[in-house]
Amino acid sequence: MSHPSLIHTIWLEPQQTAFVYLPKVACTSWKLFFARALELPFPEQLSYGQVHTQASLPLPYVGGMAAEAQQRFLAQQAAGEIRLHAVVRHPRQRILSAYLDKIALHRNPESFFSQQVLPAIQAQAGLAADQRPSFEQFLGWLNAEPTPLTQNDHWLPMVNLLGLAGPDALTAQSYARLWPMEELELAADHFRRLLSVELPFPGNEALGPRPSTGSAELVASHFNAAAEALFQPRFGADLELYEGLRSGASQLTAPERTPEPGPALD
């Protein structure tokens, strides 16, 4: 049987529950929320970068556990004893956010994205070292020959991370709850009740000023016909999943609706 990406799975073992976080889907906010809910120790002056480092924020990721614990998780998941949960973002917003954050507007010359990803896209698109790839060139690179760089989790399809793609894949019904991003507060409320905590869901500047890429507002200007044609082969299954949740076609969607949430941390 397939399973979610273990390095993206936060196991709340006493509650027989797991949350599969997805990069660029309020993942920083979720990590902070769970760290505070579980009363984990972490640095007083936690940086945005440290949130994603288990040494600084020791969340119970299944992928970071000993082999015996991982096998126990997989056995219990296969037996249906662990309730899986996740939040899904509109895939056009997610991939545009990844492009803006990690490629177009990225400014850290020492980062993995500057030193490895950007040169790989430039080489494939025939760009000079001082030229930033366009959104279409980025999507074209993703659709080219697969490499570890094109499989980075910031732009790996959500269905892959959720275990909903490939041979013997899980189905959406394998999850106890899947929420679209618009129901973020419903998801947070679910875990507040489960963990018996009263905590605000961390916003975009929970650890200090952090500009937003504004991807939601920029979708229309970036998704022309050419970009859409490049988007569909890789992210069509993500779009089908998300639109099913938003339309209420999935039985997993909560019957009530809430207003659009405020900005959360990617």
Side-chain angles (χ1 to χ4, degrees):
M1 174 178 283
S2 186
H3 55 79
S5 168
L6 298 185
I7 62 173
H8 295 86
T9 301
I10 297 171
W11 187 11
L12 308 173
E13 189 169 4
Q15 290 78 25
Q16 294 182 291
T17 293
F19 180 81
V20 184
Y21 81 85
L22 302 174
K24 309 308 294 178
V25 188
C27 67
T28 303
S29 292
W30 278 112
K31 290 176 182 182
L32 287 173
F33 176 82
F34 282 121
R36 289 167 179 165
L38 298 175
E39 299 182 339
L40 300 180
F42 55 87
E44 183 176 342
Q45 298 298 322
L46 189 70
S47 71
Y48 286 111
Q50 289 176 318
V51 169
H52 308 291
T53 304
Q54 193 166 19
S56 298
L57 205 65
L59 286 161
Y61 301 112
V62 178
M65 295 178 178
E68 181 183 355
Q70 291 187 25
Q71 291 304 313
R72 187 169 71 254
F73 172 87
L74 292 172
Q76 291 182 22
Q77 180 228 310
E81 298 170 2
I82 296 175
R83 294 182 296 275
L84 299 175
H85 303 76
V87 174
V88 177
R89 185 177 183 179
H90 195 303
R92 292 191 186 95
Q93 290 184 17
R94 177 177 178 257
I95 192 58
L96 180 56
S97 177
Y99 164 74
L100 294 172
D101 186 32
K102 304 302 182 185
I103 307 299
L105 305 178
H106 196 70
R107 292 293 179 264
N108 179 4
E110 304 302 320
S111 76
F112 161 80
F113 298 99
S114 292
Q115 296 193 354
Q116 296 191 45
V117 175
L118 182 58
I121 303 173
Q122 290 167 329
Q124 202 254 350
L127 299 175
D130 61 348
Q131 288 181 285
R132 294 277 168 162
S134 69
F135 185 51
E136 291 171 33
Q137 288 169 332
F138 169 66
L139 291 175
W141 173 73
L142 290 180
N143 284 335
E145 186 73 22
T147 70
L149 296 180
T150 62
Q151 304 307 300
N152 183 273
D153 60 359
H154 287 83
W155 37 76
L156 194 66
M158 293 182 287
V159 293
N160 292 63
L161 296 169
L162 294 169
L164 304 179
D168 301 319
L170 300 176
T171 67
Q173 286 69 34
S174 303
Y175 277 75
R177 290 295 299 271
L178 284 169
W179 294 273
M181 186 80 156
E182 290 75 12
E183 293 181 349
L184 188 63
E185 193 58 32
L186 285 179
D189 273 342
H190 174 85
F191 286 102
R192 289 186 188 105
R193 292 191 296 271
L194 184 71
L195 298 171
S196 301
V197 296
E198 288 293 337
L199 291 171
F201 194 74
N204 191 52
E205 296 191 341
L207 299 179
R210 189 182 192 220
S212 170
T213 61
S215 56
E217 295 77 21
L218 295 172
V219 166
S221 63
H222 281 73
F223 273 89
N224 54 27
E228 187 67 26
L230 291 166
F231 167 84
Q232 284 290 340
R234 185 176 175 95
F235 299 105
D238 278 0
L239 190 60
E240 182 179 355
L241 174 65
Y242 172 82
E243 289 181 342
L245 294 173
R246 283 291 282 157
S247 69
S250 170
Q251 296 178 357
L252 303 177
T253 311
E256 69 271 28
R257 296 292 178 189
T258 58
E260 298 287 318
L265 290 159
D266 285 330

